[in-house]
Amino acid sequence: MQSFTMYAPTEIVFGGGAEEQLAAMVRKHGGSRVMLVYGGGSVVKSGLLPKLEELLSKEGIPSVAFGGVQPNPLLALAREGAVSAREFGADMIIGVGGGSAIDTAKAVAHGAANPEADIWQFWKAERPLTKSLPVGVVLTISAAGSETSSSAVITNQETGEKRGINTEFNRPRFALMNPELTFTLPKYQITCGIVDIIMHTLDRYFTQTGGNELTDEIAEALLRVVIRNGRKAASDPKDYGAMSELMWCGSVSHNGTTGLGRPMDFSVHQLGHELSGMFDIAHGASLSTMWGSWALYVCGENPERFARYADKVWGITGDTETAALAGIEKTVEYFRELDMPVCFSDSRIGVQPEAVAAELALRCSFHEKRLVGQFKKLDRNDLFSIYKLANR
């Protein structure tokens, strides 16, 4: 096992009725005035938001609701939320929903605690983040793993940039996780989440660093569980067993456990972020669109790793090269089975002019100021080649 540092402090309450513990968790983690950040209204229609407001009110905890979060959460809304949080005097921000609501809550918390700064400065690494408000979560979508992670992603709609920031200030203090709150999700949202969970694991799994036997076994087991239960959830979103497994896998996939002892790659996330930033594609769909092309492009760097993946996750054996390619194709087939796009023509954007692929590569390389990934360090030309592979 290679050396690592692990920090995963989020307190988790998991199971039916977990949201009932909201007021107790707010008190336990030092909150007294709460902002509830949510999305497009489903938590209102379902009665969850009024329920949470009532739970807080009964315990004498003032709250204010702040809605309107969209998929690929927007910087402008986070800025607005930070101002509202300061005006209300919030000392804790609660994300109610999935990754978009949670990431917005994190951005609001950073902005509220730093009134002298613009939130985007933190995401652009132009200003260090040294303080924030505590964040809690009531999870309703199994996908991003933001409820236990140190990351948050927002989109600057003015520039079309989608950026992530990793900081321990992003770690939620607590996460209330009731799988029953996911039962009303549409199939597309569920399948986007399945892809995101898989990709959070694969972006850590594909590595040139060996000697992490337990980390590998945990990642492979998690992938098998997601694949198996993803099929069940896609056909029956009220299957508590399947939805509960996906919810827990989503958290474990992104709290650091599946990557201990090795550097993370996250090339596919970076490739997907630019696709989402330019075309407003759902995050999970951008990942399934790009993964197969990335995998084919980098497989030759370490085909043995891809062959192990094929064997341990899909049960595919054979000579190294054949097994490696078969494992890639099996993954792509699984995404297709879930009705997720695996190339540009599968998505609503269709095949694009080559100049678009060139622009995506330029943006992904930060205008040639960075290399992307660890499994194979990708420059602008590499990124361009991968986008061209997906542009079919």
Side-chain angles (χ1 to χ4, degrees), residues 76-384:
L77 188 73
R79 285 170 171 159
E80 182 183 338
V83 173
S84 296
R86 287 196 296 269
E87 291 175 348
F88 178 68
D91 57 12
M92 180 175 286
I93 313 297
I94 307 294
V96 184
S100 295
I102 300 167
D103 285 2
T104 301
K106 293 175 180 181
V108 168
H110 302 339
N114 297 277
E116 75 289 350
D118 177 60
I119 296 170
W120 193 237
Q121 291 178 297
F122 302 131
W123 265 259
K124 293 283 282 186
E126 295 171 352
R127 189 184 189 108
L129 181 65
T130 58
K131 59 182 177 179
S132 187
L133 297 183
V135 171
V137 173
V138 179
L139 188 65
T140 67
I141 302 174
S142 305
S146 190
E147 66 274 6
T148 57
S149 82
S150 63
S151 68
V153 177
I154 56 175
T155 298
N156 186 332
Q157 196 172 29
E158 295 177 0
T159 65
E161 295 174 280
K162 186 175 182 180
R163 293 287 179 266
I165 180 177
N166 285 281
T167 169
E168 295 308 328
F169 290 105
N170 278 335
R171 297 274 189 187
R173 300 294 179 85
F174 64 87
L176 308 179
M177 301 170 60
N178 176 2
E180 295 170 347
L181 297 180
T182 68
F183 283 3
T184 59
L185 292 174
K187 179 183 176 181
Y188 183 66
Q189 219 164 2
I190 293 171
T191 54
C192 278
I194 293 166
V195 172
D196 203 10
I197 296 168
I198 289 173
M199 213 55 58
H200 281 148
T201 310
L202 293 183
D203 275 343
R204 292 173 168 89
Y205 182 82
F206 283 104
T207 177
Q208 303 289 0
T209 303
N212 295 300
E213 184 177 342
L214 180 58
T215 300
D216 281 346
E217 296 278 358
I218 290 172
E220 291 155 358
L222 188 149
L223 289 165
R224 293 193 299 269
V225 170
V226 173
I227 291 164
R228 182 168 61 249
N229 286 281
R231 291 189 172 106
K232 297 176 184 178
S235 62
D236 181 7
K238 290 183 172 59
D239 183 329
Y240 183 90
M243 297 299 273
S244 64
E245 294 293 349
L246 289 180
M247 180 170 273
W248 184 229
C249 283
S251 290
V252 175
S253 74
H254 207 31
N255 72 358
T257 303
T258 57
L260 293 177
R262 57 197 182 211
M264 297 185 295
D265 184 88
F266 275 76
S267 299
V268 179
H269 267 75
Q270 300 305 317
L271 289 157
H273 283 341
E274 297 308 325
L275 209 58
S276 290
M278 184 177 289
F279 295 105
D280 197 29
I281 294 174
H283 178 57
S286 76
L287 299 176
S288 62
T289 296
M290 296 309 308
W291 188 82
S293 297
W294 169 84
L296 287 173
Y297 189 80
V298 306
C299 181
E301 298 293 310
N302 188 344
E304 291 78 12
R305 187 64 175 171
F306 278 89
R308 174 180 172 126
Y309 164 70
D311 179 16
K312 299 293 186 178
V313 175
W314 295 108
I316 297 170
T317 58
D319 68 87
T320 297
E321 183 176 353
T322 301
L325 294 175
I328 294 170
E329 181 56 31
K330 192 70 173 178
T331 308
V332 172
E333 287 176 4
Y334 181 73
F335 293 156
R336 287 199 185 103
E337 180 185 337
L338 297 177
D339 295 323
M340 295 299 292
V342 297
C343 60
F344 284 18
S345 63
D346 286 347
S347 67
R348 61 177 177 76
I349 67 173
V351 176
Q352 293 291 311
E354 193 169 285
V356 172
E359 177 63 20
L360 287 166
L362 184 65
R363 294 187 184 191
C364 194
S365 68
F366 290 1
H367 292 263
E368 299 188 281
K369 293 180 180 177
R370 71 164 179 171
L371 299 176
V372 174
Q374 294 289 335
F375 189 80
K376 173 179 171 60
K377 293 185 182 296
L378 306 170
D379 62 18
R380 177 187 174 186
N381 292 328
D382 295 315
L383 298 166
F384 180 42

Side-chain angles (χ1 to χ4, degrees), residues 21-48:
Q21 301 300 313
L22 178 60
M25 287 295 102
V26 169
R27 291 286 194 207
K28 180 176 180 178
H29 292 276
S32 62
R33 293 178 68 82
V34 171
M35 171 178 273
L36 300 164
V37 176
Y38 67 97
S42 61
V43 298
V44 178
K45 296 174 185 176
S46 69
L48 177 60

